[in-house]
Amino acid sequence: DKLHSQYDHGSVSRASKVADRAPLLINREDAVARGIADGMVVLVFNERGSCLAGAVVTDSLIPGVVQLPTGAWFDPARPGEPEGLEKHGNPNVLTPDRGTSRLAQSPTCNSTLVQVSRFTGPVPPVT
């Protein structure tokens, strides 16, 4: 729906959003266990940070795996706060910023461990 973030504001990318956020694909069993339904805003988090995303419940992923695309524009709830909540679904707040080795410097972002839960409280707008 976009080439990284260049076209995040384009009509095709906006049409793929769920609750104005990047879509997070989650296995049906995992969603049921967490009380998550299609279209809900979910909190995705780990020790590095947290972001909000829109849930898409699916049978196309194995249990224990979620998929969050890159390219949502960075939208922190409190700019300048490194540990703060990102509102748009930007996975960069969850991924480590290190290469696979000093030689290769390939990204390690496709193996990030996260937790997912229902988001409670007022949902902040994407700005």
Side-chain angles (χ1 to χ4, degrees), residues 9 19 30-31 43 66 80 82 103:
H9 296 296
D30 293 334
L43 178 66
V66 294
L103 174 63

Side-chain angles (χ1 to χ4, degrees), residues 11-30:
S11 60
V12 174
S13 178
R14 284 194 326 265
S16 75
K17 305 282 183 182
V18 177
D20 293 328
R21 288 157 177 79
L24 176 99
L25 276 62
I26 184 169
N27 176 275
R28 186 171 311 282
E29 294 173 27
D30 293 334

